[in-house]
Amino acid sequence: MYCTSVVTTFKLFEGNRLLASRTMKAPALAYVVAYIVLFSGGLVYGHWQLHGSLSPTQIALSVFNAVNAWICFCEIALYLHAQQIQRDQKGLHAKWGLGRLPPLSELFLFEWVPPSAILSTTFWSKMWSTYAQLDPSYVETSSFGFCVDVGNGFSTIVPSVLYSAAMTYPVLSPRWLGMIGLVMYYQELYGTLVYYFQYFYNGRPEAAKSSAAIVWGVVVPANALWVLLPLLGIWASGRLILDDSFEVFSHADASSYPEMIIKSMLARLPTLS
């Protein structure tokens, strides 16, 4: 009797979950924005609660690391679904021609999908079949673009999350965090600069028949984030090492995490007159 009830309950739950996945849909871009806001917003709020201050550097790097962690997930999808991406890009090429993006209504970011899609590497692999319309190297597994992005995906997803948390919560000393940041942000900066070089040197815009508007309006600014923010991260990480303090993030407290929690709680107690 008990087993029957459990099975029935499970079937009802599974049925409701499947129904919800079919009916609860939103544009993929909405999930991305929600994730970035929750990830970086939670860290900024925690920083303000714990240290009583807001740091423009911490805010900027929290948002960038959130974006980078999402891109890392997509870059892992690039590795896992390389053959599928090649097939999908051939379909886009046949429909729209090389060098042209689909209209916004058909772009993967505006596709209405259930919440389960946000954890699907198959879904996010569409990013690369679309981008390969502008840079065909992403369907060539031996190209620099393919390899550097796959490498970034596997090597910086954990450091991105760790660095974001450690800017607020002292899970690492300032100098250890600074060393991790220098390596991670320099890798991202160097990879992006070399990507720009090979893209223009090898005539990728001409190979993809991309217009100047597409090159300077999509390709260049989309990758510029991985130049500007890593530069900020390198500077902040250098400050962490040289100062041996978190002052670059508007707090100088290098106490252990339990000590900081106790200090925060004591600060909120009413003062005795």
Side-chain angles (χ1 to χ4, degrees), residues 4-272:
T4 303
S5 300
V6 170
V7 170
T8 303
T9 302
F10 178 77
K11 286 181 176 179
L12 286 171
F13 172 78
E14 194 64 15
N16 290 334
R17 187 184 68 81
L18 290 172
L19 179 63
S21 68
R22 294 192 189 101
T23 57
M24 294 175 58
K25 291 185 177 182
L29 181 61
Y31 294 119
V32 176
V33 172
Y35 149 72
I36 293 171
V37 169
L38 290 173
F39 182 104
S40 55
L43 289 169
V44 170
Y45 178 76
H47 194 277
W48 176 69
Q49 284 288 302
L50 204 55
H51 306 293
S53 64
L54 293 176
S55 164
T57 304
Q58 186 261 345
I59 294 171
L61 291 179
S62 292
V63 173
F64 171 69
N65 288 343
V67 173
N68 188 66
W70 166 57
I71 292 296
C72 285
F73 185 78
C74 298
E75 288 167 334
I76 292 171
L78 173 64
Y79 169 76
L80 294 175
H81 303 288
Q83 293 183 342
Q84 181 63 47
I85 291 166
Q86 292 170 355
R87 290 191 293 268
D88 291 346
Q89 195 272 333
K90 285 181 181 178
L92 290 173
H93 184 189
K95 187 173 183 179
W96 302 106
L98 199 59
R100 296 181 61 191
L101 293 173
L104 289 180
S105 59
E106 296 188 30
L107 205 60
F108 74 98
L109 281 173
F110 297 94
E111 185 176 335
W112 284 70
V113 293
S116 57
I118 62 176
L119 296 178
S120 167
T121 55
T122 303
F123 175 76
W124 293 115
S125 70
K126 294 181 181 182
M127 172 186 290
W128 305 109
S129 55
T130 303
Y131 189 74
Q133 285 287 95
L134 311 179
D135 184 353
S137 69
Y138 281 87
V139 292
E140 302 168 12
T141 56
S142 60
S143 71
F144 176 81
F146 177 91
C147 293
V148 75
D149 274 25
V150 169
N152 182 73
F154 281 99
S155 64
T156 68
I157 187 168
V158 173
S160 292
V161 176
L162 178 61
Y163 196 96
S164 294
M167 285 189 290
T168 294
Y169 306 103
V171 292
L172 292 171
S173 71
R175 283 180 174 161
W176 271 107
L177 182 61
M179 287 188 286
I180 290 173
L182 279 180
V183 173
M184 177 179 72
Y185 289 122
Y186 179 77
Q187 172 188 315
E188 293 168 354
L189 172 65
Y190 177 77
T192 307
L193 293 177
V194 175
Y195 171 76
Y196 275 143
F197 169 76
Q198 67 86 35
Y199 180 76
F200 289 103
Y201 185 78
N202 291 320
R204 294 295 183 186
E206 292 77 16
K209 300 179 182 178
S210 300
S211 66
I214 288 289
V215 172
W216 295 103
V218 178
V219 175
V220 172
N223 289 282
L225 190 65
W226 278 265
V227 173
L228 301 177
L229 273 299
L231 283 171
L232 177 64
I234 289 170
W235 170 78
S237 298
R239 284 282 309 277
L240 288 170
I241 295 171
L242 295 174
D243 299 343
D244 193 20
S245 152
F246 292 103
E247 196 164 348
V248 68
F249 302 129
S250 299
H251 71 94
D253 197 340
S255 306
S256 67
Y257 182 67
E259 289 173 334
M260 186 165 286
I261 293 296
I262 293 170
K263 287 181 181 180
S264 179
M265 291 172 64
L266 290 174
R268 285 167 171 72
L269 291 176
T271 55
L272 297 175

